[in-house]
Amino acid sequence: MAGALIRGGLAQLDAPAPEAGLTLADRDVADALPFGLLLFRTGSGGTPVCSEVNVTFTRWANRSAQSLTGVPIPEVPLLNECRILLRYIASCLAGGAVPTGELAWTVKPEDETTGRDRYFSAKLAVRSGYVLVSVRDRSSEIKAESHLRMTMLSDDLTGLPNRLQFSELVETALTEREDREVAVLLLNIDRFKRINDSLGHTVGDEFLIALARRLSSCIRGSDRLARLGGDEFAMLLTGLTDEMDTRDIIARVQRRLVDPFQLSGGEVHASATIGIATTISSTTKMEDLMRDAHFALTQARNAGASGVELYKAQDHSKARARFAMETDLRRALDAGELSLAFQPLVSLRDGMICGVEALSRWRCPKRGLVPPDEFIPIAEESGLIVPLGRWALQEACTQMAKIRGDLLEAQNIHLAVNVSGVQLLRDDIVEAVSTALATSGLPGTALKIELTESAIVGNPERARHVFARLKALGCMIAMDDFGTGYSSLSYLQTLPIDILKIDRSFVDGMLESADSQNIVRAILSLSRALNMTTVAEGIETEGQKQALALAGCEVGQGFLFARPLDADGLVARLREKKGR
Ligand code: C2E
Ligand code: MG
Ligand code: MG
C-alpha cells in the first residue's frame, strides 16, 4: 500500500523514475494520513515548485490544493517559515545530500494577541528528481510537553514555582550573580496545622492562596517566590549588597502578616518563622545554600514561634561538631571506651565514707577525656542516653557488688547512679534497675537513683509511678542538683523522695553570699520537715564543710574529701576507712 502511495514506489526510492513523473498516486490514502505531504520538482526558473499536496496540509495551511499546486516554494505557507527547509529542498533537487533527521520550526501567529505558536517538523525524501516533504504538526505534542513541564515545575494550588523550579531558579541566580549577593529565605507558618485542623482543608487551601498573594507583594521585581510544600514558602532574593537588604524584606513580610486573613471559615491570624541563608555568610552552591537556609529555619523554630534566624556558619559547625560527637559516642559505647569513676560521699558527722556516686567517663582515642557535661546532653538529644544509662547502671551495680563482697569496710556503702530524665521517660527504668540488681547481686537497699528536678517536671505522673516501683525494689530516690531546677514543693511533698542533693553552686557561694547561705538553710529545713536526708555537693574547703555541718547537713561530697576515683582508688580509700 505504502509502495503505491507515490507512483514509482516510496518504498523503492532508488528505482528509476517513471516517464510521467512522480505523483501522490493513492489520493485517498495520502489525504487520510495525519501528516502533510508535499511533492516538489524544479520549476522553470530553477526554483522548486510544489507539484502536489495532500488534504491534511491544505487544511493546516487553510488553502486549496489548486492554489498550492505550481506555487514556488517561497510562497508555500507554513514551509516558507523555515528557511533551512527551503534551502534543503532546493539543494536536494540539485542532487545534494538529503538531511537524515527531522527539521523543526515554529510558526508565529499573524495576530500574536489571539493566536498561538504552531510547531512543525519535516522530513525529506528524494526520488526521481522530486523531493517528498512529509510534515508533522507537533503543536499539541509540544503544548502537552510544556503543560507537563509546567505541572512538574509549579505548585498546583498557588501556581507558584515548586521546589524543583525554585532550585533551578536559585541555581541560575547563583551563576548569574556576578559581584552581587543572593539570599534564600524560607518561611514557615506558625501552627498552620491548627488552621487545617480547626477550619478544614478547604479553608487551609484558601489561606495558602491568600498568603501566596500577600507574600508576592513583599518581594521586588527581581526576586522570586515559591511554595516548597505544605506551609513552607521560599523567596529567592537577588542583587543584594549586604545582609541588611534581607532585613527590609523580612520586615515587610512581618508587616504584611499583621492583618488577619478574611477567609470563608472566618478570620485567621498568622505569623511566620523565617530562616535565611545568603551568599555572604553561607556558600555559593545551590544545595548548600538551601541546606543552610533550612538549618536557619530549624534554629528559628527551636527558638520559638515567629523567630527569624540568619544562617551563620559557626552555628552549623557547632551542629556538625555535635553530630560528630554523637557518631563517636555511638561507637564508643560498643567499643567499651566508657568507664566509671566513683566519688565518695562522706558523713559530715564522723567523716566516714557512707556511699559513692558512679560517674561516667569517656576516654575517646581521638578526643581524649570528654567531660560528662559535654557528652551526656548529646546522649540525651540523640537517645543514646538509654543504652548509656543502662550500661552505667549495670556496670556500677556489678563493680559495687564486687567491692562490697571483697571488702569488709564496704559492707554498708551505698551506690548512687545518675538517671537522666530522658531515660525516665523513654526507657523502662524499673526493669533496667531490677535486671542490674538481679545480675549483680547488689541488694536494692544499697542503690540510690539520682534524678534532677527536670525529670519530674516533664511528666510527674510517670515519675510518681516509676518512683513507687523503684521503692518497692528497696531503692532510694535522690533529687540531684537541687535548687537549680523548677523546684515545686508539691512534688517534694507527694513524691517518695529520700534525699536532696544541694547543688554545688549554692555550696560554692555559701561563705561569700548571704543569698546562697539562705538557700542552703532553706533547703536544709525543708528537707528536715519532709524527713529527707541532705547531701551537699561540691564541698571544696574546710570552711564550707564546717558551715554545712553546723547548719545540720548530714552528708557531703566534694574535692575536699575525694575526687572521683577508679575502682582500685576507691578500694584503697575505703580501706583507709575515713573519707579524708
Ligand atoms: P552530678 O550528678 O551532679 O555529679 C556531680 C558532679 O560534680 C561530678 O561531675 C563531680 O565530678 C563534680 N564534683 C564533685 N565534687 C566536686 C567539687 O568539689 N568541685 C567541683 N568543681 N566539682 C565537683 P562530673 O563527673 O563531671 O559529672 C557531671 C554531671 O554529668 C553529673 O552531675 C551528672 O549530672 C552527669 N553524669 C555523669 N555521669 C552520668 C551518668 O552515668 N548518667 C547520667 N544520666 N548522667 C551522668
Ligand atoms: Mg548526681
Ligand atoms: Mg549534682
Side-chain angles (χ1 to χ4, degrees), residues 11-276:
Q12 312 141 31
L13 283 176
D14 296 334
E19 286 290 292
L22 210 60
T23 56
L24 295 175
D26 190 332
R27 292 291 324 188
D28 286 349
V29 175
D31 289 344
L33 288 173
F35 44 83
L37 283 178
L38 299 104
L39 271 176
F40 287 92
R41 61 175 168 76
T42 310
S44 48
T47 316
V49 290
C50 175
S51 65
E52 221 182 325
V53 56
N54 74 345
V55 167
T56 314
F57 189 81
T58 59
R59 246 187 251 128
W60 291 348
N62 201 16
R63 295 273 293 270
S64 69
Q66 286 96 322
S67 73
L68 291 173
T69 317
V71 165
I73 189 157
E75 289 165 35
V76 176
L78 306 182
L79 296 202
N80 60 2
E81 307 262 351
C82 180
R83 288 240 189 101
I84 181 122
L85 177 71
L86 304 194
R87 249 182 274 136
Y88 264 123
I89 293 173
S91 97
C92 287
L93 283 174
V98 183
T100 46
E102 273 185 278
L103 302 164
W105 73 100
T106 309
V107 176
K108 292 278 173 205
E110 268 170 29
D111 180 355
E112 299 240 356
T113 51
T114 54
R116 291 239 169 95
D117 283 359
R118 295 167 77 189
Y119 303 90
F120 295 95
S121 71
K123 205 165 165 31
L124 306 190
V126 177
R127 169 100 170 80
S128 319
Y130 283 79
V131 171
L132 171 72
V133 184
S134 52
V135 187
R136 277 198 305 135
D137 181 351
R138 303 182 56 220
S139 304
S140 41
E141 189 186 318
I142 294 212
K143 216 171 92 190
E145 241 173 54
S146 81
H147 180 73
L148 190 71
R149 198 176 147 70
M150 275 299 291
T151 355
M152 269 176 61
L153 292 178
S154 60
D155 165 46
D156 276 351
L157 185 68
T158 58
L160 291 174
N162 63 9
R163 186 181 295 275
L164 185 65
Q165 191 182 355
F166 188 71
S167 314
E168 283 179 8
L169 292 169
V170 175
E171 187 92 66
T172 315
L174 288 172
T175 22
E176 291 171 357
R177 78 186 183 100
E178 293 175 352
D179 58 347
R180 287 310 189 90
E181 308 295 343
V182 170
V184 167
L185 183 151
L186 297 181
L187 181 146
N188 239 198
I189 290 300
D190 302 327
R191 297 179 295 277
F192 172 65
K193 198 174 164 301
R194 204 194 39 180
I195 300 176
N196 257 343
D197 289 350
S198 56
L199 301 173
H201 284 257
T202 316
V203 178
D205 285 356
E206 202 186 316
F207 167 75
L208 290 172
I209 294 167
L211 175 67
R213 218 171 291 135
R214 277 203 200 173
L215 293 177
S216 310
S217 70
C218 299
I219 55 172
R220 304 158 305 168
S222 55
D223 301 333
R224 296 298 297 264
L225 174 70
R227 180 175 172 235
L228 305 189
D231 61 329
E232 190 173 329
F233 286 80
M235 287 178 184
L236 166 66
L237 314 176
T238 54
L240 308 173
T241 45
D242 62 31
E243 281 167 349
M244 281 316 285
D245 294 353
T246 64
R247 297 273 168 202
D248 293 344
I249 290 166
I250 295 162
R252 224 176 301 153
V253 169
Q254 286 175 329
R255 268 201 308 275
R256 292 289 284 125
L257 288 179
V258 169
D259 292 338
F261 289 79
Q262 306 298 338
L263 306 175
S264 57
E267 201 175 82
V268 167
H269 291 263
S271 62
T273 299
I274 295 172
I276 314 131

Side-chain angles (χ1 to χ4, degrees), residues 357 359 418 450 480 501 537:
E357 176 176 6
L359 296 159
N418 293 287
E450 290 196 5
D480 207 349
K501 292 189 80 174
E537 298 186 288

Side-chain angles (χ1 to χ4, degrees), residues 340 343 357-361 371-373 375-376 380 385 388-389 391-392 417-420 423 450 452 480-481 501 503-504 537-540 557-560 562 564:
L340 288 179
Q343 188 178 31
E357 176 176 6
L359 296 159
S360 293
R361 295 288 175 261
D373 289 337
F375 71 81
I376 295 286
E380 287 177 331
I385 193 70
L388 190 154
W391 166 83
V417 178
N418 293 287
V419 168
S420 151
Q423 184 159 23
E450 290 196 5
T452 56
D480 207 349
D481 307 341
K501 292 189 80 174
D503 189 66
R504 193 165 80 218
E537 298 186 288
I539 302 179
E540 291 185 354
Q557 178 181 356
F559 295 169
L560 175 70

